[in-house]
Amino acid sequence: MANLHIKNAIVEEASKKIPMSKRIMGRVPHAVFAEPLGPTESMGKDTLHLLSYKGAFLKPCPGTKEYICCGYQILNVATNCPLDCSYCILQSYFLHQPYLRIHVNLEEKLAPILAFIDRDPDRIVRVGTGEFADSLALDSLTRWTDILMQPFSERKNAVLEFKTKTNQIDGLIASPYRDRIIVSWSLNSPLISATEEKGAATLKQRLEAARRCQEEGFVVSFHFDPLIPHKGWREGYLKTIDLMDRYLRPHGIIWISMGSLRFMPDLKPIIRKRHPGTAILDGEFITGLDGKTRYFKPIRIELYRFMRQNLEQWYPDLGLYLCMESDEVWRKSMGGSPRDSEGLKGFLDDRVVQIFK
Ligand code: SF4
């Protein structure tokens, strides 16, 4: 349970008898039972909130029609995260829902999700748990790996991506399942990782964990998101690519996505308040077609072009793609474009077929 500092637990009445609640509470015997207090500036990152989630567990990633999206499905196992990245969009998404909220009825909700996947065996369903939480930061408590790896591993038309900034891979390694499982790390420059990703594993620790997963037979992926043009960013990102070269086998990496910092305007005052020392708000921003604040287009193109050229120099077949960018930015930075969301979805589905032969 490295790096977890759970002090309190809120367990909703209806969830007390659910087996997952009992297992989790057994793993935090020191936690003091508490009542919800409402929004807190700390976001309640030391408090577990165990509840039965009433909404849909599987939902398409909320892309926008103005940008090219990848057709990813989010498995909503939890919200909030014990790490504390300055740029984290969850700070505004869940402003009024603090605490580490764990959806303990996951096991009972899994059957309809698997039925949805099985309904059309020719359709590939790419699923991830790391959109509203870190996929592995709480795994020592929740053991999502025990619950999810077997059913996904047994299906040929689905993949499950665990996306993390930790090195908490014990649950993955202990599992006998490898097929259709993707272990994924968010990476950044050494400076951004060290100064803006509080509570995360160091870059070296992340890459050591990725190497171990490759040795153990897992398919891995990476996300350079958010790319941030800080002082010395070119040298910084080159150092990260050098580290990747030192630790990893590039052959068999299923994909590497790239995205640049973007956020709804209401996040800015929250970042200023919660992370007063941050340097991430210093750039040249515009308001994008989706209302989000993002870097001025030529800056985004330069970031992606630089990363693409250097990553492709390392290895030419890494499944590089952009997250939520326009056709124009794709063409000017990547040398070509999938044109639309269907095109990008097809590209990533083909990667699944190619890598999990
Ligand atoms: S690891 Fe992801 S979910 Fe957790 S604080 Fe950082 S950005 Fe947010």
Side-chain angles (χ1 to χ4, degrees):
M1 232 177 286
N3 303 324
L4 273 183
H5 304 287
I6 304 300
K7 291 189 185 143
N8 303 306
I10 300 160
V11 187
E12 293 194 351
E13 198 52 45
S15 305
K16 282 189 179 151
K17 292 204 175 91
I18 295 179
M20 190 173 177
S21 286
K22 291 186 186 168
R23 293 197 302 265
I24 292 172
M25 290 313 298
R27 290 171 189 139
V28 282
H30 58 280
V32 176
F33 282 94
E35 293 296 324
L37 291 173
T40 75
E41 200 173 294
S42 70
M43 295 179 71
K45 286 172 182 276
D46 59 1
T47 300
L48 293 177
H49 186 165
L50 309 187
L51 68 149
S52 292
Y53 183 60
K54 305 280 186 298
F57 266 74
L58 193 68
K59 278 191 195 153
C61 184
T64 45
K65 62 179 180 349
E66 290 85 1
Y67 295 104
I68 298 175
C69 300
C70 71
Y72 200 62
Q73 298 278 335
I74 298 169
L75 185 58
N76 192 2
V77 293
T79 59
N80 205 349
C81 171
L83 281 51
D84 202 11
C85 305
S86 60
Y87 52 74
C88 181
I89 52 169
L90 303 185
Q91 296 172 102
S92 66
Y93 276 18
F94 301 115
L95 183 64
H96 300 290
Q97 285 185 355
Y99 314 121
L100 305 171
R101 293 164 64 93
I102 298 172
H103 302 156
V104 289
N105 53 338
L106 169 66
E107 282 158 303
E108 99 198 24
K109 296 288 184 183
L110 210 46
I113 294 168
L114 299 174
F116 165 77
I117 291 170
D118 294 343
R119 206 171 301 148
D120 182 356
D122 295 329
R123 172 195 55 190
I124 291 175
V125 187
R126 284 173 284 108
V127 179
T129 55
E131 300 307 301
F132 298 137
D134 183 284
S135 293
L136 296 175
L138 293 171
D139 194 55
S140 59
L141 298 182
T142 60
R143 282 295 183 164
W144 287 313
T145 41
D146 285 350
I147 298 168
L148 297 173
M149 287 173 76
Q150 179 174 2
F152 276 88
S153 221
E154 287 170 344
R155 284 167 167 78
K156 294 293 176 205
N157 65 326
V159 287
L160 177 65
E161 187 173 43
F162 289 102
K163 199 190 290 183
T164 190
K165 287 195 188 96
T166 75
N167 56 353
Q168 306 288 304
I169 54 172
D170 292 356
L172 292 164
I173 303 287
S175 165
Y177 301 100
R178 301 288 184 265
D179 197 19
R180 312 289 141 172
I181 304 298
I182 301 168
V183 198
S184 178
W185 279 268
S186 300
L187 299 177
N188 220 303
S189 73
L191 183 75
I192 296 293
S193 306
T195 56
E196 306 286 351
E197 297 177 343
K198 197 169 147 199
T202 64
L203 266 185
K204 282 188 184 165
Q205 287 170 330
R206 287 179 229 180
L207 290 170
E208 274 164 8
R211 174 167 65 192
R212 176 90 201 280
C213 282
Q214 279 197 321
E215 288 165 358
E216 288 281 341
F218 285 102
V219 167
V220 300
S221 68
F222 298 92
H223 300 273
F224 278 98
D225 198 350
L227 287 167
I228 295 174
H230 54 288
K231 192 164 182 283
W233 65 266
R234 288 179 185 78
E235 295 73 25
Y237 286 115
L238 280 181
K239 269 192 197 146
T240 302
I241 297 172
D242 277 350
L243 278 176
M244 293 171 82
D245 179 47
R246 217 185 302 160
Y247 283 88
L248 303 168
R249 270 184 288 109
H251 177 75
I253 291 176
I254 190 164
W255 47 62
I256 298 180
S257 78
M258 296 185 282
S260 53
L261 183 66
R262 57 205 176 279
F263 51 87
M264 290 309 280
D266 62 349
L267 183 62
K268 196 168 173 178
I270 300 172
I271 294 176
R272 287 242 182 271
K273 197 163 179 203
R274 295 194 69 244
H275 308 277
T278 184
I280 63 165
L281 298 173
D282 298 344
E284 272 183 82
F285 294 101
I286 50 126
T287 302
L289 298 168
D290 53 0
K292 284 187 181 165
T293 301
R294 48 179 74 217
Y295 294 118
F296 188 47
K297 201 188 297 171
I299 299 174
R300 293 179 355 243
I301 291 171
E302 173 59 11
L303 277 169
Y304 302 139
R305 191 187 289 142
F306 178 85
M307 293 302 288
R308 174 180 72 95
Q309 284 169 349
N310 285 287
L311 284 164
E312 282 183 348
Q313 209 170 310
W314 176 43
Y315 191 71
D317 185 26
L318 291 168
L320 296 181
Y321 72 97
L322 299 181
C323 182
M324 290 189 65
E325 277 298 353
S326 63
D327 179 60
E328 181 194 353
V329 170
W330 264 91
R331 280 187 285 104
K332 290 185 175 165
S333 60
M334 304 292 278
S337 163
R339 299 177 71 93
D340 55 23
S341 298
E342 271 311 298
L344 179 55
K345 186 176 178 311
F347 169 70
L348 296 175
D349 290 351
D350 287 349
R351 292 289 298 177
V352 170
V353 173
Q354 192 185 321
I355 300 286
F356 289 101
K357 284 191 193 89

